[in-house]
């Protein structure tokens, strides 16, 4: 089964579509390519024009919902990579992922939030989805998003 098929299956499992425009919130590009290295700007869990998971993790957002938010962020990043490369089969490797969690002062499960994204990347891309990672707790994120993710990948092209 191709990575593109697994991407569609993951979207269906999440209950969201990542077709159509992926909105950005400012004067920047969502993806920058330098040779075979691809840099994906921070992605919040936005589907269409709605940020689907908002609020502070550890207060109004529970861990499982934060993990879903991380998966949606990863799906947005994959959608951008798929559009740039024509197919996720042209992605050589996800190199680095950073996951930011808007959380309470006593929340310490940042890595578990990031696991949602890491598990999704591996499920869709297989070995090419394995990556280095940093997970960080922050006080605020754009649009009150619970999670934001950026990544760096390399392509076969």
């Amino acid at each position: 089964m191709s990575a593109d098929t697994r991407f569609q299956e993951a979207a269906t499992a999440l209950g969201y579509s990542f077709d159509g425009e992926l909105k950005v919130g400012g004067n920047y590009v969502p993806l920058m390519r330098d040779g075979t290295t691809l840099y994906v700007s921070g992605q919040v869990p936005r589907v269409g024009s709605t940020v689907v998971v908002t609020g502070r993790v550890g207060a109004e957002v529970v861990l499982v919902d934060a993990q879903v938010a991380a998966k949606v962020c990863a799906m947005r990043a994959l959608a951008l990579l798929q559009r740039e490369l024509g197919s996720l089969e042209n992605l050589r490797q996800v190199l680095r992922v950073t996951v930011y969690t808007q959380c309470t002062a006593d929340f310490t499960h940042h890595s578990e939030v990031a696991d949602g994204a890491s598990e999704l990347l591996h499920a869709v891309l297989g070995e090419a989805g394995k990556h280095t990672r940093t997970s960080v707790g922050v006080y605020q994120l754009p649009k009150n998003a619970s999670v934001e993710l950026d990544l760096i990948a390399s392509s076969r092209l």
Side-chain angles (χ1 to χ4, degrees), residues 81-93:
L81 290 166
Q82 185 180 51
R83 291 170 190 187
E84 175 69 18
L85 299 173
S87 169
L88 291 174
E89 293 297 318
N90 293 322
L91 184 72
R92 188 177 64 77
Q93 191 71 49

Side-chain angles (χ1 to χ4, degrees), residues 87-129:
S87 169
L88 291 174
E89 293 297 318
N90 293 322
L91 184 72
R92 188 177 64 77
Q93 191 71 49
V94 175
L95 302 171
R96 179 136 185 91
V97 175
T98 306
V99 178
Y100 304 90
T101 303
Q102 178 191 179
C103 60
T104 59
D106 62 343
F107 183 81
T108 60
H109 297 283
H110 312 102
S111 291
E112 288 83 350
V113 172
D115 285 343
S118 294
E119 289 165 8
L120 183 129
L121 291 168
H122 187 259
V124 171
L125 301 171
E127 291 298 304

Side-chain angles (χ1 to χ4, degrees), residues 37 92-97 128 130-133 152-154:
T37 305
R92 188 177 64 77
Q93 191 71 49
V94 175
L95 302 171
R96 179 136 185 91
V97 175
K130 289 189 175 178
H131 52 270
T132 63
R133 183 179 86 186
I152 302 169
S154 64

